[in-house]
Amino acid sequence: MIKKTITSRSSNLHRQSSLWSKCKDLQSLKQIHALMIISGFNSNRFALRELIYASSVTFSASIHYAHKLFAQITQPDLFMWNTMLRGSAQSLRPSLVLSLYTQMEKRYIRPDSYTFPFVLKACTKLSWLVSGLTIHGKIVKHGFESNKFARNTLIYFHANVGDIGIAGQLFDGSAKRDVVAWSALTAGYARRGELDVARRLFDDMPVKDLVSWNVMITGYVKQGRMENAGELFNMLPKRDVVTWNVMISGYLLCGENENALKMYAEMRSAGEHPDEVTMLHLLSACTDSAFLDVGEQIHQSIIEMGAGELSIFLGNALVDMYARCGSISKALEVFQGMREKDVSSWNIIILGLAFHGHSEECISLFEDMRRMKYIPNEITFVGVLVACSHAGKVDEGRGYFSMMRTEYNIETNIRHYGCMVDMLARAGLLHEAFDFISMMEIEPNAIIWRTLLGACKVHSNVELGRYANEQLLKLGREDSGDYVLLSNIYASRDEWDGVERVRKLMDDNGVWKEPGCTLIETDEDALRNFLFDSRP
């Protein structure tokens, strides 16, 4: 148990000692904590403040560790409560703020003007209207409505989640002299899609800070109005990394990947240092456009930025980029070099190996994943079943399909069924594939029937091919390729009457194939595209 603390006269004062400047990650934080215990500083108020601040605010990813520490402090002061609220609000689990504030009330801890903005920020992030309105009432009750921090947070809450009219009422008066209040109201209108109102507010601002410029540019970007966004971007006297990231993401959302990469080049020329968000955006552009050479340059920049250390997000993005661009060896190299991995990391490399025909490596990696106690999900099994299909491992595929449902309780979806049909059909087990389709718990789609039809062509099975084609017609899919496949099945058996019947059926249904063209997308291509939607 961490011992007593003394109530502080200031709940927001924080001076960091030189010791904490050496704290770079959660591991070093734990080492300092252990040193505090050994040295008897676990009852020192200032040392505890720094410990709570570092674990909850400096390293937001360690918020759960911070909560464990905080629970052991018998009498935390208001600074510690507010610090925990702040860290929780900016973490990936803002819902922790409300439970923490409830504890404060139960322990009769009197809040100050710094307390409620953190709680309200969490309500805004979570879009919790009722909780936010309750906090608004408490702000009024404690007399903080005129406090500029509380008021600005209220404006932002109501503008984004609550009543825009109330936000406007709070804005009238002294708030009009505060650039933060202007930005909060402008952001609210922009987020609601009322860009004309937002732009009028923006133009009327007596003073515009960088946040207000970024708010307005972001509003245009979210609606795909890149011309308007670019106009403001060019007018902006000074930009930061957020400004550049917003523009890069905007071009990506509009499918203008080359413009996104050009924007990055301008960013570097302007002397702005990219951050992790920038790199994630750029890797997305390289992945979608198969710009392997550019992706390799981005990879090198990431290494230089992080001194060789990769976060999970960047590592996953790099593996995905290399895999989708066809460089599976580089994808494996990055994956194996990642110190930290999550299920998505495994899924990306397993799918990459499967779709590039490295079936043995894919299945081996899946078994490694299980041995290391990672829990596979529905996406993992898509990759494994594709690998079994490509390698002709029918028995193994049946086993994994059963394992998915019995051992991991994963609900089977259309992609898993598609993989099984493809696997059986490739192996020439057409009747078993047909029986499998008839036993499916969900309605088979066109991809599944087309997979069976394509296999019937390979194995010259006219009867099942005709049935698969009939099912496609029932689905209302008038694709000339389906008729061509069926016609080819008849032709392979020298059943020319069947070929003529297919051609007549095409004429009767108004289906035509452009002369001189061949069927570009095979049944395998269609299935691949269908399954690619399963990528993380």
Side-chain angles (χ1 to χ4, degrees):
M1 180 68 72
I2 294 177
K3 299 178 184 178
K4 67 177 182 177
T5 65
I6 304 168
T7 303
S8 169
R9 288 178 292 178
S10 173
S11 64
N12 67 315
L13 181 64
H14 178 254
R15 296 188 183 92
Q16 192 178 51
S17 70
S18 58
L19 175 65
W20 290 98
S21 63
K22 302 175 183 177
C23 187
K24 302 299 182 184
D25 51 30
L26 180 58
Q27 183 178 359
S28 57
L29 185 144
K30 289 180 178 179
Q31 290 172 346
I32 294 175
H33 181 202
L35 181 63
M36 283 173 58
I37 295 172
I38 294 170
S39 305
F41 277 94
N42 62 321
S43 60
N44 180 282
R45 172 168 60 94
F46 297 104
L48 285 175
R49 279 184 167 196
E50 292 189 335
L51 179 62
I52 293 298
Y53 185 88
S55 59
S56 62
V57 177
T58 307
F59 307 111
S60 57
S62 63
I63 192 65
H64 289 293
Y65 185 72
H67 276 265
K68 288 180 181 178
L69 288 173
F70 188 74
Q72 297 178 52
I73 301 174
T74 54
Q75 292 179 312
D77 62 23
L78 188 53
F79 172 85
M80 295 180 195
W81 282 102
N82 285 346
T83 301
M84 289 297 299
L85 290 170
R86 175 184 174 182
S88 300
Q90 70 185 28
S91 74
L92 297 176
R93 292 285 306 279
S95 56
L96 295 169
V97 171
L98 276 299
S99 60
L100 202 62
Y101 178 73
T102 301
Q103 292 178 44
M104 278 187 73
E105 287 195 322
K106 287 180 179 178
R107 294 171 68 169
Y108 301 103
I109 306 297
R110 185 173 178 81
D112 66 3
S113 59
Y114 293 97
T115 306
F116 291 113
F118 300 138
V119 183
L120 210 52
K121 180 181 178 182
C123 293
T124 307
K125 286 179 72 173
L126 294 163
S127 296
W128 284 1
L129 175 60
V130 175
S131 297
L133 292 174
T134 302
I135 297 302
H136 187 169
K138 293 182 182 296
I139 289 173
V140 174
K141 177 184 174 182
H142 287 276
F144 295 127
E145 196 172 22
S146 59
N147 176 273
K148 76 171 185 176
F149 299 110
R151 182 199 60 216
N152 289 345
T153 316
L154 277 171
I155 291 172
Y156 189 75
F157 165 75
H158 282 290
N160 286 273
V161 179
D163 188 330
I164 194 73
I166 295 176
Q169 291 172 16
L170 289 165
F171 177 72
D172 288 336
S174 60
K176 287 190 173 182
R177 297 191 297 271
D178 189 342
V179 66
V180 176
W182 281 93
S183 295
L185 191 60
T186 303
Y189 277 110
R191 183 174 178 180
R192 291 167 186 260
E194 299 182 43
L195 290 182
D196 292 338
V197 180
R199 183 58 186 267
R200 284 198 299 271
L201 278 167
F202 176 78
D203 290 340
D204 290 342
M205 281 186 190
V207 178
K208 297 178 180 68
D209 64 0
L210 185 53
V211 173
S212 59
W213 283 90
N214 287 343
V215 161
M216 200 63 234
I217 292 172
T218 302
Y220 282 129
V221 163
K222 286 185 176 179
Q223 287 202 2
R225 293 168 59 173
M226 291 306 296
E227 186 176 341
N228 298 105
E231 174 197 349
L232 286 181
F233 179 82
N234 292 329
M235 292 167 56
L236 185 53
K238 185 179 180 180
R239 301 159 186 148
D240 65 358
V241 68
V242 174
T243 321
W244 292 98
N245 286 349
V246 168
M247 291 298 294
I248 291 170
S249 68
Y251 283 121
L252 290 174
L253 287 170
C254 294
E256 300 178 31
N257 295 339
E258 290 193 25
N259 281 336
L261 293 170
K262 287 178 183 176
M263 183 62 67
Y264 172 66
E266 288 181 29
M267 177 185 185
R268 295 304 300 267
S269 298
E272 184 64 63
H273 296 289
D275 62 6
E276 183 168 313
V277 175
T278 317
M279 295 319 206
L280 288 171
H281 286 326
L282 294 169
L283 287 173
S284 174
C286 296
T287 301
D288 292 341
S289 303
F291 293 153
L292 179 58
D293 54 341
V294 180
E296 289 174 333
Q297 293 173 33
I298 300 300
H299 185 185
Q300 184 59 40
S301 297
I302 290 170
I303 292 173
E304 292 169 1
M305 282 170 51
E309 287 294 326
L310 282 177
S311 69
I312 288 179
F313 296 114
L314 279 176
N316 289 350
L318 278 167
V319 174
D320 195 36
M321 184 273 295
Y322 279 121
R324 294 214 201 188
C325 289
S327 182
I328 198 66
S329 59
K330 286 290 289 184
L332 270 170
E333 181 184 326
V334 174
F335 174 80
Q336 290 164 352
M338 291 171 64
R339 289 184 60 182
E340 290 186 75
K341 302 179 180 74
D342 60 8
V343 174
S344 291
S345 314
W346 290 91
N347 285 349
I348 292 166
I349 193 63
I350 284 172
L351 284 165
L353 288 166
F355 283 117
H356 285 85
H358 300 274
S359 300
E360 297 290 347
E361 295 94 327
C362 174
I363 294 169
S364 174
L365 205 62
F366 173 68
E367 292 300 337
D368 289 343
M369 178 185 183
R370 295 181 66 216
R371 270 194 302 274
M372 296 175 71
K373 305 303 180 185
Y374 286 90
I375 307 299
N377 59 23
E378 67 277 2
I379 297 173
T380 321
F381 279 97
V382 168
V384 174
L385 292 174
V386 167
C388 290
S389 177
H390 287 186
K393 295 179 176 292
V394 177
D395 290 337
E396 290 89 338
R398 292 191 190 106
Y400 286 129
F401 186 78
S402 175
M403 174 195 293
M404 175 178 65
R405 296 181 294 177
T406 58
E407 187 171 335
Y408 293 102
N409 198 30
I410 295 172
E411 186 176 346
T412 315
N413 63 39
I414 192 70
R415 293 181 178 84
H416 301 125
Y417 285 120
C419 291
M420 288 298 293
V421 172
D422 183 59
M423 181 184 70
L424 295 170
R426 279 173 182 263
L429 303 173
L430 299 183
H431 288 283
E432 184 177 344
F434 171 78
D435 291 339
F436 182 86
I437 293 172
S438 65
M439 293 168 57
M440 282 171 51
E441 297 172 2
I442 54 181
E443 196 71 25
N445 63 7
I447 297 294
I448 286 180
W449 287 117
R450 193 169 290 124
T451 300
L452 184 59
L453 178 60
C456 290
K457 173 183 176 294
V458 172
H459 298 284
S460 301
N461 191 314
V462 175
E463 180 186 356
L464 282 181
R466 185 167 52 238
Y467 182 83
N469 187 260
E470 289 171 359
Q471 300 308 307
L472 282 166
L473 294 179
K474 285 180 182 179
L475 292 173
R477 299 298 297 265
E478 299 292 348
D479 191 323
S480 64
D482 300 333
Y483 291 94
V484 173
L485 281 173
L486 183 59
S487 176
N488 290 342
I489 294 172
Y490 280 117
S492 68
R493 298 282 296 270
D494 293 330
E495 297 183 19
W496 305 109
D497 289 342
V499 173
E500 287 300 322
R501 285 197 301 273
V502 172
R503 289 177 178 171
K504 184 178 184 304
L505 188 60
M506 289 179 71
D507 292 337
D508 292 343
N509 290 336
V511 178
W512 63 282
K513 184 172 80 75
E514 187 176 344
C517 291
T518 57
L519 183 64
I520 301 298
E521 183 178 67
T522 66
D523 57 300
E524 182 177 344
D525 292 328
L527 182 64
R528 178 188 293 260
N529 292 334
F530 171 62
L531 295 176
F532 251 91
D533 291 338
S534 296
R535 285 232 179 187

